[in-house]
Amino acid sequence: MGAAENFHAWMKEHAIPSAAYTKVAAFATPLYTDLFVDLEKTGHPLGKHLRMVQVEQDLTFYIAACEKDLKKRFADYMDQEWFLKSKTSWFDNLDLDGPLYLPPDHPLYHAPCAPFPELRAVIPYLNKVVIYDALAALGTAGADILDELQVLTDGDSQMHCIVGRAGPPPDTGIHPTRMATALSALLKGSLLHSQSRRKSSVETGS
């Protein structure tokens, strides 16, 4: 703790800007599985790999959430019901007035009293993702990019900015929808640009 305090005091003394991104901002950014499906559809090997990793990581998370032994979960409260509410459409599909409601004739329909899905049966319902790395990647773009995108609630980025404050009251420090759009564009655009350059190189023989 002392080393951290000295480091930040040194940065302040020398007017060196900094930005810290926390999990609060990551959880507040509404990103969905469709993003990874779109990455896979680009045909880029990395897009296919990211989709595979997204599914397998969520399955590993789900297996841990289903554990009765609290020590095997990521956190005590992250049980099976919490996972289904936080990471899937399982409960959303039952909301008659919600956008994700599924009628009884839908192949993924399940009754309110249906037992929770087991292991890979949860895959079709996985629809919510949290992307820590992409949020940090956007942060490395620089203050001018963040200011232009207008994704921070404080307006122009501050000298020492914390993006995602836990509160209370919680202050995510971001405009969630704008941040989601920016991250989606960053991920899709990077893969498509890389694929375009590779195709151009093959055609020109360079």
Side-chain angles (χ1 to χ4, degrees):
M1 181 64 73
E5 291 176 350
N6 291 336
F7 175 71
H8 285 284
W10 179 82
M11 292 182 69
K12 182 177 181 180
E13 178 184 350
H14 292 83
I16 300 175
S18 67
Y21 286 75
T22 76
K23 65 180 182 181
V24 175
F27 272 102
T29 303
L31 289 167
Y32 300 93
T33 299
D34 289 349
L35 169 61
F36 285 89
V37 173
D38 287 344
L39 294 180
E40 183 178 30
K41 287 179 178 178
T42 65
H44 194 290
L46 184 55
K48 296 178 181 178
H49 176 74
L50 288 173
R51 169 59 174 159
M52 181 273 292
V53 169
Q54 178 251 323
V55 171
E56 294 304 321
Q57 283 187 339
D58 277 343
L59 283 178
T60 299
F61 195 170
Y62 188 52
I63 290 171
C66 292
E67 287 285 352
K68 301 301 182 183
D69 185 351
L70 300 184
K71 295 181 180 179
K72 294 183 178 181
R73 297 178 187 170
F74 286 100
D76 292 356
Y77 67 90
M78 293 182 176
D79 59 11
Q80 188 175 17
E81 183 174 351
W82 176 91
F83 182 95
L84 292 173
K85 288 180 178 178
S86 303
K87 298 283 293 176
T88 78
S89 63
W90 181 262
F91 290 103
D92 299 326
N93 297 155
L94 300 174
D95 183 0
L96 287 171
D97 300 319
L100 299 180
Y101 171 71
L102 296 180
D105 60 347
H106 193 282
L108 293 180
Y109 170 80
H110 59 87
C113 58
F116 291 158
E118 296 191 18
L119 301 181
R120 302 194 77 86
V122 78
I123 292 178
Y125 301 98
L126 292 171
N127 73 328
K128 304 176 181 105
V129 295
V130 179
I131 308 181
Y132 300 99
D133 295 344
L135 191 71
L138 184 62
T140 65
D144 55 339
I145 299 298
L146 294 176
D147 293 343
E148 188 67 25
L149 292 173
Q150 298 181 342
V151 292
L152 305 182
T153 57
D154 291 333
D156 290 349
S157 54
Q158 308 297 307
M159 175 64 74
H160 301 292
C161 177
I162 297 178
V163 181
R165 294 177 284 275
D171 179 4
T172 62
I174 65 170
H175 291 290
T177 302
R178 293 179 189 172
M179 183 63 82
T181 299
L183 290 181
S184 297
L186 173 66
L187 290 168
K188 295 178 186 177
S190 297
L191 291 189
L192 290 173
H193 179 66
S194 173
Q195 195 171 44
S196 175
R197 286 178 57 86
R198 183 175 61 176
K199 181 179 179 181
S200 177
S201 295
V202 171
E203 292 177 347
T204 59
S206 58

